[in-house]
Amino acid sequence: MSERGLFAHSRSPRSGCRHRLEDHLRGSAALARAFAESFGAGDVAEYLALVHDVGKGCGAWQDRLIFHAEPTGKPVGIPHKEAGTVLAARTVGRQLAAVVQGHHGGLPDQNQIKDVLAELRGTGVDAERAREATEAVARVVPEILREGRIPPPAWLAGLGSPQRQALAVDVFTRMVFSCVVDADYLDTEAHFAGGEPRVAARADMGVLLKRFEERRLRLLARRAASPVDELRERVYAQALAAAAGAPGMYVLHVPTGGAKTIAAGGFALRHAVEHGLGRVVFAVPYISITQQNAEVYRELLDPAPDSGERPVVLEHHSSVELDEEGAGAWARMAAENWDAPVVVTTTVQLFQSLFARKPSVMRKLHRLAGSVIVLDEVQALPDRLLIPILSVLRDLVEHFGASVVLTSATQPSFWSLAQLPRYGVIEDVSGLFEELRRVDYDWRLGPEVTWESIAQDIASEGGEQVLTIVNTTRDSARLHRLLNSAEGEARVTAPVWHLSTRMTAEHRREVIRHVRGELAANRPVHVVSTSLIEAGVDVDFPRVYRAWAPAEALQQAAGRCNRDGRLDRGTVVVFRPVDGGVPKDLSYRAALEATGEFFGPGDASAPDDLEALECYYEKRWALQGTDGRSMGESIQELRRLWDFPAVAEAFQMIDSRYAQSVVVIRAEKTDEERDAIESDIALLRSSYPAGPEPLRRLQPHMATLPRHEVAEGLRVGLAEPVIGDLVVWRGHYDPVRGLDADDPEDRGGYVL
């Protein structure tokens, strides 16, 4: 073995060479150090990456690599994490040894680390292999053996209470883990690609801010003048002024139609320039807003197509699970790592990653350090997870050099739940809301209201341009059929479009773009949508129908009505169909009860009444209990124990038992486009790392289905596995409603 050397990976198809173990350990260590320097953990991350694959140094592992894995393409099948786990526990502490032990399977709990360390002190096969591997690797990488311990950053030791420190250690471990696994993946990918690790150079945020400003002015010059333009300019100017403030947590509370997207972008870029921050991450609750915001920021920030420069804006909303059992040895290499100056993603992606334990999900986390994190439409954060979410945001601000911006038209009073020092961006929020009132509410809440009666009302009273927003994909499909029925009294003469998560991202984008064009040309157009359209999507209807929902949803829906203020008043019809569907979870029921108490016809308040909204949130949270457990305090208890598997299981923004991504190749695609999609599917299925690019390119072609439907599709041959839990759907795709909207309801569609 000494003559042939030690290897980490089999031969590269490009170079024909095996990956030398010392090169992989040192290469990963250098990358991990660079990633972790921004939060004072360079030494810790470098050492953990240096020892993460030490176990590969034993003779049995090396023989299996060369004589089994390489010729068959199958895994080596011999554990290799334990030797590095022992070294890590000795040098950086048992808590952080979890980083090495979990770098393939996911962060373990502390009991598992104790068991591993106890077993390796014995005389069993694994213990002997670990000692053999350590001795062999130390001959070529002697720095794995250190005399003293590597201390954690000083800030970690000075946090006061043990509970506060335990939570900080939880976040610190996750961030270091992210640095190590991303470094491991990048170095491995570079070996198989025959090049250098794919790490983008740090962007010049000053150049990006200047480009943003220049293009913003050109964009405004192309748009038709609006009565609210002066107010939007005032919001933007205040956002830029506030961006010069100290790093921290900011609140951008602006009514719907106040141009929050542009204001948040300007704030984030200027704040990054002022404080030397290297990245901006925009997180939004709906994929539809992700798509819209990414388009806006690409127009304002991406280089010209023929410039040869890398794109600035990365859009990431794929929720493919790449750590699934049987996903393949290299599946995790396709995971996204957010190596871009501007990232537009979903709140689900952001927070599921922050509370996960699997490496492919967590490799991007370290990019949050030294970043501006803009959380758009924060009212959509789930109540049952608010306490851990707010806790982690506070740690990112206080210890990882991030600034956080909370933006919403219906800003919850989070500060009543957690200590969150914060700065306001807008000087006179109440005055701004008064100026931007542009709709009247018409309430239809009686027992006579049904889908048929609402469809008839839309057909007879709605006019030529109507948006209707409902709560479930089943309801959207049902109402869409009623409005299109040739025999029914409710049939409308205008084209009726449909939007739901059962349509691919590209399909939804096309529909929204078409609808905007019809509205701008003042042509007849009707849309039936789930709630994905109501928060942040830039459409302007004279009349909007909204199925009964929590107060913030009602106000967000109103933001799609008379958005540009060209009418004296728009009309928002709030209706409660007796045969409509609503989610059944506790927080949603509490929100509906609180909405009914404060908002409605007569003497009740309108949904844009700020005082009523504050009372509404207090009541809504009180209805769920006062001990905090219904809002995530039990997850905090697990975090203090560093029980990473239990935290990951408990923290679910979307129940992963239901939502699953599927790739759809629509019939409208050209042969060339179909070939490109099939080529990316083949790349993901190949036996070598493909990097995240194929998944990035497939995102527009993904829709969401319930897992039981996907399982049935696989069983009967309508779907084929691709990678992880991603499948390609070969069954029927309706050109209007997407994937078979008659099927049982997708519960994931309820969750923001």
Side-chain angles (χ1 to χ4, degrees):
M1 185 175 68
S2 59
E3 292 181 0
R4 73 187 182 206
L6 298 175
F7 301 107
H9 302 111
S10 55
R11 296 185 188 277
S12 161
R14 296 287 182 87
S15 68
C17 299
R18 296 189 181 102
H19 199 182
R20 290 165 58 87
L21 183 56
E22 60 263 44
D23 292 341
H24 178 51
L25 295 180
R26 290 194 173 114
S28 300
L31 288 169
R33 167 179 275 280
F35 295 153
E37 290 282 15
S38 64
F39 55 95
D43 288 346
V44 171
E46 178 184 46
Y47 184 77
L48 291 170
L50 190 70
V51 302
H52 80 283
D53 271 355
V54 164
K56 292 182 176 181
C58 75
W61 197 95
Q62 292 289 311
D63 287 344
R64 287 279 291 181
L65 173 72
I66 294 169
F67 301 116
H68 171 73
E70 197 168 82
T72 66
K74 295 180 179 179
V76 170
I78 293 178
H80 68 272
K81 300 169 292 189
E82 287 71 19
T85 301
V86 172
L87 292 169
R90 185 186 307 158
T91 307
V92 297
R94 194 180 70 208
Q95 296 94 333
L96 287 165
V99 170
V100 175
Q101 183 63 26
H103 79 270
H104 280 305
L107 286 168
D109 60 37
Q110 286 298 296
N111 288 330
Q112 185 179 341
I113 297 296
K114 290 178 186 177
D115 292 343
V116 167
L117 295 176
E119 183 180 351
L120 294 187
R121 285 193 292 267
T123 58
V125 172
D126 288 343
E128 292 298 332
R129 285 176 174 169
R131 285 190 280 269
E132 176 198 344
T134 302
E135 292 173 5
V137 175
R139 288 193 285 271
V140 292
V141 189
E143 57 268 38
I144 66 171
L145 303 178
R146 293 180 59 119
E147 291 292 330
R149 290 173 66 92
I150 300 174
W155 62 261
L156 199 56
L159 291 178
S161 76
Q163 288 193 330
R164 182 80 185 88
Q165 188 175 47
L167 290 173
V169 169
D170 169 85
V171 183
F172 181 73
T173 304
R174 294 171 185 279
M175 294 293 274
V176 171
F177 182 69
S178 170
C179 294
V180 171
V181 296
D182 193 30
D184 178 19
Y185 290 3
L186 288 169
D187 192 73
T188 301
E189 180 190 320
H191 161 68
F192 283 101
E196 294 299 312
R198 179 184 47 82
V199 180
R202 185 181 175 93
D204 187 329
M205 303 304 279
V207 169
L208 295 183
L209 176 59
K210 182 180 178 182
R211 183 185 295 171
F212 184 92
E213 284 283 349
E214 292 172 349
R215 293 187 182 177
R216 184 186 79 90
L217 293 174
R218 292 205 296 266
L219 179 66
L220 293 176
R222 293 199 307 268
R223 289 184 173 177
S226 158
V228 297
D229 285 348
E230 184 276 331
L231 184 146
R232 290 169 176 168
E233 277 298 299
R234 202 188 324 150
V235 168
Y236 184 75
Q238 290 183 25
L240 280 193
M249 187 168 292
Y250 286 79
V251 178
L252 180 59
H253 191 179
V254 177
T256 56
K260 289 195 304 297
T261 300
I262 300 291
F267 175 97
L269 288 167
R270 184 175 181 197
H271 193 71
V273 172
E274 291 281 341
H275 300 290
L277 305 180
R279 181 170 287 100
V280 177
V281 178
F282 296 95
V284 296
Y286 296 106
I287 292 175
S288 53
I289 320 175
T290 309
Q291 295 169 314
Q292 173 185 276
N293 289 6
E295 284 182 1
V296 171
Y297 293 134
R298 273 195 289 264
E299 183 176 358
L300 294 170
L301 289 169
D302 268 355
D306 56 353
S307 68
E309 298 178 43
R310 288 184 60 166
V312 169
V313 179
L314 169 67
E315 178 184 351
H316 179 220
H317 47 71
S318 167
S319 57
V320 179
E321 173 56 73
L322 294 171
D323 286 296
E324 290 268 309
E325 186 176 349
W330 307 118
R332 293 183 298 272
M333 305 296 171
E336 185 55 72
N337 72 341
W338 287 359
D339 191 8
V342 176
V343 177
V344 184
T345 188
T346 62
T347 47
V348 170
Q349 272 292 333
L350 175 64
F351 290 111
Q352 284 292 158
S353 301
L354 276 163
F355 292 92
R357 62 180 289 261
K358 294 296 183 74
S360 71
V361 183
M362 298 177 70
R363 68 178 293 192
K364 56 185 173 288
L365 284 189
H366 67 92
R367 308 289 183 186
L368 298 175
S371 294
V372 185
I373 305 167
V374 180
L375 299 178
D376 200 2
E377 310 295 356
V378 292
Q379 78 284 346
L381 294 174
D383 292 357
R384 58 191 168 79
L385 302 173
L386 278 178
I387 290 176
I389 283 174
L390 297 174
S391 171
V392 165
L393 290 177
R394 179 181 171 182
D395 274 328
L396 288 174
V397 168
E398 293 183 355
H399 308 304
F400 296 91
S403 281
V404 172
V405 187
L406 307 176
T407 84
S408 178
T410 51
Q411 176 65 55
S413 298
F414 292 141
W415 2 108
S416 67
L417 299 174
Q419 293 182 347
L420 292 175
R422 62 202 182 277
Y423 306 100
V425 173
I426 300 302
E427 296 167 2
D428 181 9
V429 174
S430 297
L432 195 62
F433 270 76
E434 284 297 328
E435 290 184 74
L436 263 181
R437 281 210 170 88
R438 348 182 258 294
V439 305
D440 293 319
Y441 290 88
D442 183 359
W443 304 87
R444 314 281 180 83
L445 307 178
E448 74 284 355
V449 179
T450 64
W451 286 118
E452 286 76 10
S453 71
I454 287 299
Q456 290 169 13
D457 190 276
I458 292 170
S460 60
E461 305 292 336
E464 294 189 327
Q465 296 180 334
V466 182
L467 168 65
T468 306
I469 304 172
V470 301
N471 292 317
T472 71
T473 55
R474 177 184 291 171
D475 286 348
S476 67
R478 179 177 183 181
L479 181 59
H480 187 265
R481 287 189 180 87
L482 282 171
L483 293 174
N484 278 291
S485 170
E487 298 81 24
E489 297 177 21
R491 186 175 186 273
V492 299
T493 56
V496 184
W497 298 86
H498 181 266
L499 286 166
S500 83
T501 53
R502 287 175 172 265
M503 300 158 62
T504 68
E506 179 186 59
H507 190 182
R508 293 193 299 269
R509 181 181 293 143
E510 290 169 0
V511 170
I512 291 172
R513 186 181 297 124
H514 175 80
V515 167
R516 285 193 187 124
E518 298 297 276
L519 290 170
N522 201 29
R523 287 191 286 264
V525 60
H526 284 237
V527 178
V528 177
S529 175
T530 58
S531 56
L532 63 83
I533 199 174
E534 75 185 358
V537 178
D538 189 4
V539 290
D540 187 358
F541 285 83
R543 191 174 182 90
V544 170
Y545 286 74
R546 183 46 168 110
W548 179 247
E552 68 275 14
L554 303 182
Q555 188 187 146
Q556 294 292 343
R560 308 322 111 196
C561 183
N562 195 22
R563 186 173 181 82
D564 291 326
R566 293 192 170 90
L567 304 174
D568 178 40
R569 305 289 274 188
T571 300
V572 177
V573 179
V574 180
F575 64 96
R576 184 163 53 197
V578 294
D579 48 351
V582 293
K584 301 297 192 293
D585 66 275
L586 170 64
S587 61
Y588 200 91
R589 290 201 307 270
L592 287 180
E593 183 176 340
T595 299
E597 181 171 337
F598 293 104
F599 305 100
D603 295 333
S605 298
D608 56 1
D609 184 310
L610 294 183
E611 290 185 9
L613 271 172
E614 188 156 350
C615 295
Y616 155 78
Y617 280 116
E618 290 178 4
K619 176 72 173 183
R620 165 176 161 173
W621 294 335
L623 287 169
Q624 297 173 65
T626 57
D627 62 354
R629 299 190 71 81
S630 62
M631 306 188 82
E633 180 56 44
S634 57
I635 295 174
Q636 294 291 84
E637 294 170 5
L638 296 171
R639 290 180 60 218
R640 294 184 190 103
L641 298 172
W642 308 317
D643 191 341
F644 299 102
V647 169
E649 184 176 354
F651 189 99
Q652 295 292 326
M653 290 191 77
I654 291 179
D655 194 330
S656 60
R657 293 174 299 172
Y658 297 108
Q660 187 167 352
S661 295
V662 300
V663 173
V664 177
I665 307 177
R666 293 161 62 199
E668 296 87 346
K669 293 296 172 188
T670 65
D671 289 344
E672 184 178 358
E673 289 170 332
R674 297 177 70 86
D675 289 345
I677 297 170
E678 294 286 10
S679 176
D680 280 328
I681 291 170
L683 278 173
L684 291 172
R685 286 171 169 163
S686 71
S687 57
Y688 292 104
E693 285 79 8
L695 272 180
R696 290 178 185 176
R697 291 190 292 266
L698 288 175
Q699 278 186 142
H701 312 294
M702 291 185 195
T704 303
L705 281 181
R707 286 185 177 268
H708 70 87
E709 291 184 32
V710 175
E712 179 63 15
L714 288 167
R715 188 184 70 81
V716 300
L718 293 178
E720 302 165 5
V722 178
I723 187 175
D725 70 344
L726 179 66
V727 305
V728 56
W729 191 263
R730 304 294 188 185
H732 174 68
Y733 184 90
D734 187 274
V736 177
R737 288 186 292 269
L739 287 168
D740 199 2
D742 277 329
D743 279 347
E745 180 51 40
D746 171 6
R747 301 187 198 182
Y750 290 141
V751 187
L752 304 175

